[in-house]
Amino acid sequence: MTNALQAPDKGDVFLRISAHLAERTDIASALEAVANEIAEVIPFTHADLCLNDRPGWLSSYEVGIQTRWSRARTRVDVSPIRDLINGHCDFMLCEDAMQDPRQTFEGSCSEPIFNHALRSRVHVLMKVMGQPIGTLNISHSTPGIYNGETVQRAQHVADVLSPYFHALHTAELAQRAAQVGQEAKAREEGLRRGALDLTQTLERERQRIGMDLHDQTLADLTRLLREVTGDAPPGRDHLASRISETIGDLRRIIDTAVPSLLELFGFLHAVQVHLERAVGSAPVEVEVIDETDGAPDRLNPTVRTALFRIAQEAINNAARHSGARRIEVRIAPMARSGLAMTVRDDGCGIPAEVRRNSGLAHMRTRARLISAELDVLNDNGCALRVMLGDRS
C-alpha cells in the first residue's frame, strides 16, 4: 500500500494541471480534466471540491463517484468538514471516516461516506490571497491509506487549484448576479400569479363552504324547524339525535376550513394527527420529530398556518403517491433562530415531469408568501424541505 502513495515519477504533474485548467470555463469540467493528475499525486476513490456558496452553505463538485453532495448544496453546520470550514483545525485526516465522530455526528450529511465506503479521507483548505474559498477533499475506500505526507501533497494540489477555481467560481457568481434582475422580475410575476391562484382557490373554498352550509346545515335546520313547529313535534330523544347529527356535520365543515387541531393542541400534534389520518390503515411507519422545543408554535399565526398547509400537502403526496414504507416529518433549528421542516419518505420519489404540478406549485407559492425557501430532493425517496430564516 505504501507504493501506491509514492511520489509520482513525472515532475510536470502540476504543469499539466495548469494547462488543463487554462482550457476550461466551468468548474465541473475543470475538475474532471485534472482528475488523472490529482490521482498521480494522491490515489483516490472519490474527490471533490467544496466551495463557499452563500453564507453558511457549500457547493460541491465531484469526480470518481457522484453522490448527493454535488446534487444539492450542503449547510456548513451539517457538513462532515464543518470543523475545517469553521476554522477549528488546519486540515482533517481520517483513518476511517465511517467511525470518525468528526464526520459522522448526529444530523450530519454523511450518507455518501457510508453508501460508498469512503474510509480514508484527507481535507485541506483552498485559499486565495490568504482567504479560504473552500476545501479539497480526497477519499479512498481503503482505511488508513493516507498519512501526514498525504496532507502535504493535498495542500500542494489545493494551492495549485485554488486560483483557477476561484476565478471560475467568481465568474459563475457574476453570471448569477447578472441574472438577478430577470429572476427577481420572474419571481415577482410568479408570486403575483401564485397569489392570484391562491385567491381563486380561497374563493372556491368559500363557495364550497357556503354551498355545504346551504345544502346541508341550513337544510337540516329548516327540517328541524318544520318538525318542531308541526302538528306532531318529535320527541326529546329524536330531537337531540337530529341536533347532534347537525352539529357533527357543521363541525366537519368547520374542520375542513380551519385547522382547529393546530389552534387547540399545537403544530406537532396537528401534524401527527394528519399524518396518521393520511396513511390510514396502510403499513406505513410514521414519525414526527421536533428538535426546536416547539418553535413552530412561536411563529406568527399566518406563518404557522402556511407551514402546516405545506406539511399537509407534502404528507398527502407521500401517502398517496410514493408507495413509502416510512414517512417522517422533522422540525430542526437553523442559524439565528430559523427553522427547517423536512417531510421525508422512502418511496419512489417525484418524477421530473410531475414537478410542475399544481400541488407542488401551491406549496412553493405558500413558501414564498412567508419568505421561506422550499427545496425538493429525490434521494432514496423524496425529501421536501421548507426553510424559514430568522423569525425574531
Side-chain angles (χ1 to χ4, degrees):
M1 193 59 64
T2 303
N3 292 335
L5 291 178
Q6 292 293 333
D9 295 333
K10 298 179 180 179
D12 62 344
V13 172
F14 293 146
L15 291 177
R16 283 187 278 123
I17 288 177
S18 299
H20 287 316
L21 292 176
E23 300 172 353
R24 304 292 169 170
T25 58
D26 68 279
I27 296 173
S29 66
L31 182 58
E32 189 70 35
V34 299
N36 290 336
E37 279 69 26
I38 295 175
E40 288 188 41
V41 179
I42 305 172
F44 65 83
T45 303
H46 172 272
D48 71 301
L49 304 179
C50 285
L51 300 179
N52 295 331
D53 201 82
R54 60 181 179 170
W57 291 82
L58 300 169
S59 291
S60 297
Y61 304 85
E62 303 175 296
V63 289
I65 299 173
Q66 296 300 308
T67 77
R68 66 168 294 182
W69 285 330
S70 62
R71 293 198 293 270
R73 292 170 300 178
T74 302
R75 297 202 323 265
V76 171
D77 61 345
V78 299
S79 171
I81 55 171
R82 65 179 184 179
D83 286 352
L84 182 58
I85 292 292
N86 290 329
H88 298 154
C89 55
D90 296 326
F91 64 88
M92 294 179 70
L93 177 63
C94 303
E95 182 174 343
D96 187 348
M98 294 174 67
Q99 301 181 24
D100 193 324
R102 298 176 300 172
Q103 303 236 327
T104 59
F105 52 89
E106 184 177 357
S108 65
C109 184
S110 57
E111 294 96 329
I113 293 176
F114 295 96
N115 292 344
H116 303 285
L118 304 180
R119 295 180 178 275
S120 293
R121 305 197 77 202
V122 59
H123 312 275
V124 295
L125 284 172
M126 300 175 67
K127 295 183 178 182
V128 171
M129 299 181 65
Q131 296 300 314
I133 65 165
T135 64
L136 170 64
N137 315 291
I138 298 177
S139 307
H140 202 286
S141 57
T142 303
I145 193 175
Y146 298 143
N147 54 30
E149 184 181 350
T150 313
V151 174
Q152 295 180 2
R153 294 185 196 174
Q155 191 63 68
H156 289 322
V157 173
D159 292 343
V160 173
L161 299 182
S162 293
Y164 291 96
F165 283 96
H166 178 62
L168 293 175
H169 196 220
T170 300
E172 182 179 297
L173 294 177
Q175 186 177 9
R176 289 186 203 169
Q179 297 172 350
V180 166
Q182 294 179 347
E183 291 177 353
K185 290 181 181 179
R187 284 195 299 269
E188 183 178 348
E189 177 62 16
L191 187 59
R192 185 190 69 80
R193 292 182 179 179
L196 179 60
D197 287 344
L198 282 180
T199 300
Q200 293 172 342
T201 300
L202 289 172
E203 180 59 29
R204 289 194 297 269
E205 184 70 4
R206 282 194 290 269
Q207 291 175 359
R208 183 192 65 77
I209 294 170
M211 287 187 293
D212 286 347
L213 290 172
H214 178 274
D215 298 341
Q216 187 169 322
T217 307
L218 183 59
D220 290 343
L221 291 174
T222 300
R223 282 193 296 271
L224 278 174
L225 179 61
R226 283 200 301 266
E227 292 178 8
V228 170
T229 59
D231 295 335
R236 179 176 179 179
D237 292 342
H238 176 76
L239 184 60
S241 175
R242 293 292 301 279
I243 292 175
S244 295
E245 291 176 3
T246 302
I247 291 173
D249 291 338
L250 183 58
R251 180 174 289 115
R252 281 190 289 273
I253 294 172
I254 293 172
D255 285 344
T256 63
V258 180
S260 56
L261 286 173
L262 181 64
E263 301 299 331
L264 293 174
F265 301 106
F267 188 89
L268 270 296
H269 180 80
V271 169
Q272 180 75 44
V273 170
H274 185 80
L275 183 54
E276 292 172 355
R277 287 178 178 173
V279 301
S281 60
V284 180
E285 180 184 355
V286 298
E287 186 173 13
V288 180
I289 303 167
D290 179 23
E291 301 173 351
T292 66
D293 193 26
D297 291 316
R298 296 190 291 274
L299 295 172
N300 174 282
T302 301
V303 175
R304 183 178 67 160
T305 300
L307 191 65
F308 179 67
R309 292 303 192 195
I310 294 172
Q312 283 182 307
E313 183 71 26
I315 289 169
N316 290 343
N317 289 342
R320 294 170 184 170
H321 308 301
S322 72
R325 293 170 298 178
R326 174 179 170 80
I327 303 174
E328 173 190 290
V329 180
R330 182 182 296 269
I331 313 296
M334 288 178 58
R336 296 186 179 181
S337 72
L339 64 84
M341 178 185 74
T342 303
V343 180
R344 183 186 301 275
D345 67 71
D346 61 356
C348 61
I350 302 178
E353 64 273 12
V354 182
R355 291 196 176 191
R356 296 183 179 88
N357 67 12
S358 59
L360 185 55
H362 284 169
M363 284 190 283
R364 292 192 185 282
T365 298
R366 288 187 188 277
R368 289 198 298 268
L369 288 173
I370 58 174
S371 300
E373 293 186 44
L374 188 148
D375 288 337
V376 180
L377 175 65
N378 277 342
D379 186 21
N380 296 321
C382 178
L384 182 141
R385 176 178 293 173
V386 182
M387 292 162 285
L388 283 163
D390 189 352
R391 314 312 297 175
S392 60

